[in-house]
Amino acid sequence: VALTDYANDVVTTSLACAEALGERLWGVRVDTSASLVDEYLQRNPPVGVDEAELRGVNRHLCEALRRELDAVGASHVKIVASGGMNPEKIGKLRDVVDVFGVGSSLLQGGIDYTADIVQVNGEPQSKIGRQYNPNPRLKRVE
């Protein structure tokens, strides 16, 4: 399964993964931040759709991804949606998404945690929308 929202262009990245991996690619994971509109939808905005409906993982993006994967013969590739999934979002996507990653919506108490790689060898390296945030309470352990 390839995480394909790293550069905020799910369709282009998914197609590149499908070409490179062929039948070995089981699925593509869409985890677009709720604050972002994917590059594909920015280039190909659906007519009459408010921008707010295009943010994060949404039906328009998942339908476009399925259509584009099918067009290049990658209909075997599953779409895995994660990021803010809850019963309402799943209900809106269940006929176009194959697998759902559900985490925070199952937790009580409003505590959400994410662990993203944001630096490699001291150099910035993160998916769109993430960045290094220093925390003076953390201490290096050897």
Side-chain angles (χ1 to χ4, degrees):
V1 176
L3 178 66
T4 59
D5 64 291
Y6 186 85
N8 196 40
D9 196 342
V10 166
V11 174
T12 301
T13 302
S14 296
L15 294 176
C17 290
E19 182 179 347
L21 297 172
E23 293 295 322
R24 293 180 296 156
L25 181 63
W26 183 85
V28 291
R29 181 174 156 216
V30 182
D31 188 36
T32 305
S33 168
S35 66
L36 297 173
V37 175
D38 186 89
E39 293 288 332
Y40 181 89
L41 293 178
Q42 290 180 45
R43 290 189 306 269
N44 307 284
V47 177
V49 177
D50 186 89
E51 184 179 308
E53 290 182 55
L54 301 179
R55 295 187 186 284
V57 179
N58 63 77
R59 183 172 193 83
H60 302 286
L61 181 58
C62 294
E63 285 176 341
L65 176 56
R66 175 80 278 147
R67 187 172 54 252
E68 297 290 342
L69 285 168
D70 291 350
V72 297
S75 57
H76 67 282
V77 176
K78 308 289 187 225
I79 296 176
V80 180
S82 61
M85 291 297 124
N86 57 36
E88 180 185 351
K89 276 188 99 168
I90 291 170
K92 292 178 181 177
L93 296 171
R94 69 178 179 221
D95 63 327
V96 69
V97 169
D98 301 293
V99 178
F100 293 95
V102 180
S104 321
S105 70
L106 300 177
L107 301 175
Q108 294 181 359
I111 298 172
D112 195 8
Y113 177 78
T114 182
D116 292 291
I117 294 172
V118 294
Q119 284 188 348
V120 175
N121 297 324
E123 296 296 320
Q125 183 64 255
S126 63
K127 72 186 242 182
I128 298 291
R130 304 296 168 100
Q131 64 186 12
Y132 175 65
N133 293 311
N135 183 340
R137 296 178 300 163
L138 295 178
K139 304 288 183 212
R140 185 174 196 83
V141 177
E142 298 290 335

